[in-house]
Structure formats: C-alpha cells, structure tokens
Amino acid sequence: MNPLILTIILMTVFLGTMIVMASSHWLMIWIGFEMNLLAIIPILMKKYNPRAMEASTKYFLTQATASMLLMMAIIINLMHSGQWTITKVFNPTASIIMTLALAMKLGLTPFHFWVPEVTQGISLTSGLILLTWQKLAPMSILYQISPSINLNILLTMAVLSILVGGWGGLNQTQLRKIMAYSSIAHMGWMAAILVYNPTLTMLNMLIYIMMTLTMFMLFIHSSSTTTLSLSHTWNKAPLITTLILITLLSMGGLPPLSGFMPKWMIIQELTKNSSIILPTLMAIMALLNLYFYMRLTYSTSLTMFPSTNNMKMKWQFETKQITLLPPLIIASSLLLPLTPMLSILD
Amino acid sequence: MLKIIIPTIMLMPLTWLSKKNMIWINTTTYSLLISLISLSLLNQPNNNSLNFSLMFFSDPLSAPLLVLTTWLLPLMLMASQHHLSKEPLIRKKLYITMLAMLQTFLIMTFTATELISFYILFEATLVPTLIIITRWGKQTERLNAGLYFLFYTLVGSLPLLVALISIQNLTGSLNFLLIQYWNQALPDSWSNIFLWLACMMAFMVKMPLYGLHLWLPKAHVEAPIAGSMVLAAILLKLGGYGMLRITMMLNPQTNFMAYPFLMLSLWGMIMTSSICLRQTDLKSLIAYSSVSHMALVIVAVLIQTPWSYMGATALMIAHGLTSSMLFCLANSNYERTHSRTMILARGLQTLLPLMAAWWLLASLTNLALPPSINLIGELFVVMSSFSWSNITIILMGANITITALYSLYMLITTQRGKYTHHINSIKPSFTRENALMALHMTPLLLLSLNPKIILGFTY
C-alpha cells in the first residue's frame, strides 16, 4: 500500500480510538467508534483475496451492529437522564444494551463467533492490530460505565468466554485462530473483574497486549501462520523457539512469569469480594488454554518436530527487523516481581 | 539467606561465561561450595526458628531439606556429564541453566515466610522441570509425561491459591512467622471443609497420594537423570513440607477430614509396593517405591503427633538421598546398555564389583535396615500410627515386608546370578560414578550417627 495512504489510514484508526477514550460526550464516542471501524477495513484488506474480503465484511457487520446497539443505548440514556455526558448509566435497560454492544465489539461470548474467522482471514500484522489496538476503545468505555453494569450478565459472559476460549482453541492448528481464542479467554478474565476493581482490568489489558504483541512479532519474524511452519523455526532461528516457549508459558499464566500477575490479582480481588467458586472455576478453565499453548511449545521448542529434509532448506530472505522485541519479551515474562508497584495504577 | 540465593543465581552467568572445558568443573565446584554454606543452617539453637528477614527464614524442618537441595545440585551435575557429552555446548549450558534456575526456586521455596510467595515459587519449580523432562528425555512418551506432570500439579494447586487468598482475607496475614502465634481453630462449616480440601490437594498431588500418583511413574521414567534425581529427592518433599506447614492452620477439621487420605495412603503404600514386585522397568520400580515411601510420609503428617512429625521429616531426608542414589545406579546401567529393562542387565556383580557394593548399600537403605535414618523414619511412623490405631500395624508390617522383597528383588536381579552374555563388553565404572554414589551414601551413613538434625521441629 502507498505509504502516504497507509499513514493516513493508521492515523485515522489511532484518532478514532483516541476520540473514544478522551471524550465526555456520548455522540463523540460513537463517532470515534465509527471512524475506527471505517479506517480499519482497508487495513484488514491489505491482502486483496476473497478470504480477507470475507473477514473484513464479517468484521464490519458485527462492529456496525454493535455500534448501532450502542447508539440505541445512548439514546435511551439520553431519554431517561436528559444529558449526553459520560457517567455511569443509570437506566438498567440502557446499561444492559450498552454492555451487550461493547461485548460484541470485544468478542465476549456469546458474541465471539466473529473473532476466529476474522483473525484467520487477514494477514499477521492486521491480526495484531485487530487483537490489541481494537480492544482498547471498548474496554475504556466499559471502564467508565463499570459501576452500573449488571453483574449477572457480565459475569456470565466472562465465564462463558473463558470456557469458549479454552475449548475452542483445543482443536486448532492455525496460529491466528489460536491467538483469537486466547483473546476471547483473556477478554473473559478482564470482564470478570470489571465491576469489582476496574484497575485490574486495565492491568490485565496491559499485560495481555504486551504478550500478544510479543507472540505476533515472533510469528511475523518466522512468517509462520500454522503450527507446522512454526515448528521449523528450530532450524532457522533457534533463539526464537526459546522466546516462543517463554511467551506462551506466560500467556498460560504460569508463575513466575508476568502472565501470572493479572490472574493472581484478579483471583485476589474476586476472593476479597467473597466469591470463591468463581475464581476457582476460572482458574481451572484457564488450564485449557495452557494445554494448547503447551502443545504449541512441544512442536516448536521442546522437540525437534519431524520435518522432511527440503523443509530445512527453505529460502532465507533477509532477516526481518522486529521492532521492540527485547523490551517486549522482558515485559511479557519478567514483570512478576514488580507486582507491588501496582499501587501506581490507582 | 541471600548468601545462598545470590550465589545460586550467579551459577547461571557462570555457565554461560565458562570455557568449553570448564563448565562442569566450575559449576560442580561452586555448587559444592554453596552446599557447604548451607550446612551452617543446620545449627538451630533453640526451639524457635532462625529468622533472616521478613521474607526468608529457616527452621528445623526446612534446614535439612535446604541442605539436601543444595547438596543435590553438584550430584545432579556430576550425574549428567555423560549423557550430555555429545551435545553442542549451548545445549549443555542451557541444561545447567535449567538446573540452576530450579535450584534457586527450590531454595526460595523452602525458606519462604509468606505463604503466597511459597505458592508462587512452588509453581515456578514446575517450569524448569518440565523443560528438562520434555527437552532432554529420550523417548516419545516424555511429552505425555510432561503434560501429566504439569496438569496434575496445576489442577491441584489452583484451588490452593484461592484458599490461601481467602485465608489471608480472614486472618490478615499469611506470613508464617505470625501465623504460628495467631493460630485459632477453624470454625466448623461446609466452606471450611472445602478450604481444607483446597489447601491439601495441591500437596497430595505432589507427594503423591495413591489415587493421584499417575504422573509420577511417567515423569520419573521419562526424565533424564538429573530430572529424575531432583524429582524424587526434592520435588516430592515440597509436597511433604507444604503439608507440614499448612496443617498447622487447618485444625480441627483435620481430625475427620484426614480419614479418606489416611485410608488411601495406607492402602496405596501396599499397592504400590506390590506393583514394584512386577515391574520390568528399573526406573519404574524405583518410581513406585517413591510413591510407597511418600505414602508413609502422608500418613505421618495427617496423624499429627510429635513422633510422627519426626518420622516424616527423617523419612523425607532419608528417602531423598536413597531414591536419588537408586536413580543414579539405574542410570549407570542405562548408559551402558541403553535399556531400562531389568533382566537385560543381570549379574553385574561379576563385571562391576564396586558398583555392586553401592547397589547393596542403596538397596539396604531402601528397605530401611537399622541403623540408617530410613529405619528411624519408618519406625517412628509405624509406632505413631500404631498409637493412632492398633490395626495399622498389620498394614505397616506388610509394607515393610514387601519393601524388603522388592528391594532384594531389584538387587538380586541386577547384581547376582550369571551375567547376560551381551553385556560382557561394558565399560568399567567411572570414578565420577563411584564418587557420585559415595557422595550420596556418606551423608546417609553419617546422619545415622546424629539423626537429631533431621528430626524436625518436634524433637
């Protein structure tokens, strides 16, 4: 794509999210969402093939529906409160509709069906933007309306998301679908703690973004989109296999890596609010996620996966430059001892 | 405690910066030095614990386990030299780094005061062990073994995390030093029963309890020698150590909650000992024997009498040294014949007489011959379980008999009789192997002269 056009489009995406996060008027927020949606469609369609077109169409339809639901909730809120400022949404109907709309934007169950298919149809870089940047805007709105969200709906969606994210990823070999299901599960964790302590939602989002960024960068470096092609990295760049191992274990939430920090904090907050069965259930279901991450590490770094001899001699183009990989690796694996610093997030 | 932890962490840069012909020498020497430092912890002057800081402490229970851990690292390094000799340099360094990382986490686990810190490090020991088992094991079954190991332990320990946090909410602090003084009886309710279960299941899986022991034979058999040694000697004892610490907070539910686990352990020790008599795989036999010995420790911990705690602690240390030595002996067989089948390498006394002496000593300590500390541990456990209920003497007696049976079966099959003709060209024992066995046996024999240092905090 022409670099100038690419810059303009990326700036629009960026600006859309910024407008959502910085506004205090509900209409501006809706405008921000729409700007974001329209600008990201060309990014999703960077590779012009029918698969990408189908993925972009699905994305557009679901997000547009969600925006319309959001608009309806805004109008109901306007009718009942008479003002357009963002505060907690007092009317229960408006609050429920808004929660559902934002869940649709995030990809929480039962609105998760678009995530794997859209992520699969687009290129790795677009998938990266989709799974990290696009989650910021809806999450910021959820953060702002968090005192008024109906707990039953949100917790149901959260638990179901963790279940679906775990079970759905079990049968996948395509890396983008695995990342999509991992995103669904992580969104579930974030939604679960939203009502009790929204700061932890933001912490989880931060750590999740760093880990997902790292994973996608590693995939882009080896240009691999399936488990099979990832399993050839031991031959090309053995260090990448170690980094994949560490990051995947961190995503699975194993101590002492930093992926454990949000899970631990979330379990702590939930337990402090006297729900014991829920965090136990969530923690056990996160183990399903760990299973398919482990399977990925088995084929990539812990074994020399069987491959034919000519796969070892694939053309080596010039090494891709991965921006910011070392700090990302450190951030996604070694931040656990910094947990007491969480007090700065208040 | 930093005087032990920081040198152990620095073992990692030491391996990466050493020259090719110095890696084993450097790491073995420095880890031996670290274990010398840790010996000073065995001097526990009074009934209280030695507090080094708010975060680290050592008391008569954790000090022997700590010394065992630091003693075992040089032994693991010595044992791994042969099977890693053909690997490229970077992979050797990675292996030693994994061992050093595991060692750091283990040391911090045994000396942690805060129970959540104990939990995080307990889980952290899983990652290097998993990498050692799956990356350096030899058969395809190691993948399954790693998964079983990881998931059994994680499913058991995630409820422990929730339970620890809810205890922290109730009592305000999980610092072990405080809990000893603040301890109150848990009120009787259904949720406290689940709390008891949540706290104990993690350690039951780790010990392992008889019904949850499925990961252990797989993991022990498929792991390379250092992995088997550390698994058998230390990681199982993490479960025992955790149980000993956490049962302090769980009264009075333990009085009735312990019954199912006591029954499972008493029955399980007989069952696993009996299975040992029918094993063909040498490492599998030693693994099942570990389950059987640990079942005794579970019985001792759940009975909660002073003598049983003494027996549990002594048995843990003794079993650590014995089991690790048996794995080293099995590995010396494996390195020569590349097979773990017992009957394929018979009559070794004729070919390797000095190794046969080590086999004899190891088997004798395994069947708890007096005056070894294995006997002291088992005897205390038998006596305290007899005082708990007279009938258990039947099961305990049967277990001691069957333990003797399979230990002698293992000894006689591998050492006595006519040697198989295909092994008459094996290499003689290396000095390294003899030194390894001597370093295992010497502490074991010396401790029988002064067992009070391993008898734990109820002595």
Side-chain angles (χ1 to χ4, degrees), chain B residues 21 29 52 61 74 128 198 203 206 215 223 268 286 290 323 328 343 346 359 368 385 389 391 444 453 459:
Chain B
N21 51 358
T29 320
F52 293 101
L61 170 60
F203 304 117
K206 201 81 176 155
W215 63 271
I286 307 171
S290 287
S323 185
C328 288
I343 53 174
R346 294 193 303 263
W359 270 104
S385 74
S389 155
I391 310 182
L444 204 59
I453 42 181
Y459 175 68

Side-chain angles (χ1 to χ4, degrees), chain A residues 221-232:
Chain A
H221 173 82
S222 45
S223 294
S224 47
T225 53
T226 62
T227 311
L228 185 62
S229 55
L230 196 64
S231 67
H232 297 141

Side-chain angles (χ1 to χ4, degrees), chain B residues 291-310:
Chain B
V291 181
S292 168
H293 286 279
M294 285 299 112
L296 274 173
V297 175
I298 297 183
V299 168
V301 173
L302 289 176
I303 296 180
Q304 293 187 308
T305 70
W307 272 38
S308 77
Y309 275 13
M310 281 198 268

Side-chain angles (χ1 to χ4, degrees), chain B residues 393-454:
Chain B
I393 193 78
I394 306 176
L395 294 167
M396 293 283 178
N399 184 42
I400 295 187
T401 316
I402 304 181
T403 308
L405 280 174
Y406 72 71
S407 299
L408 289 176
Y409 167 60
M410 180 173 62
L411 180 69
I412 295 176
T413 315
T414 51
Q415 304 303 122
R416 310 279 174 180
K418 187 162 165 52
Y419 58 86
T420 49
H421 57 86
H422 63 88
I423 59 168
N424 58 5
S425 56
I426 55 177
K427 297 197 181 86
S429 311
F430 298 107
T431 312
R432 174 184 58 85
E433 294 176 342
N434 286 325
L436 194 61
M437 309 309 162
L439 285 174
H440 272 109
M441 210 62 215
T442 318
L444 204 59
L445 295 174
L446 284 177
L447 276 172
S448 57
L449 294 177
N450 187 8
K452 74 168 186 269
I453 42 181
I454 53 162

Side-chain angles (χ1 to χ4, degrees), chain A residues 68-80:
Chain A
M68 282 298 110
L69 279 174
L70 185 66
M71 185 48 111
M72 182 156 96
I74 294 174
I75 302 287
I76 298 179
N77 183 35
L78 174 67
M79 263 174 42
H80 285 267

Side-chain angles (χ1 to χ4, degrees), chain A residues 200-216:
Chain A
L200 289 180
T201 310
M202 287 300 134
L203 170 74
N204 200 345
M205 174 68 86
L206 190 68
I207 307 269
Y208 162 73
I209 287 181
M210 283 199 267
M211 294 192 295
T212 313
L213 264 178
T214 317
M215 281 315 296
F216 269 101

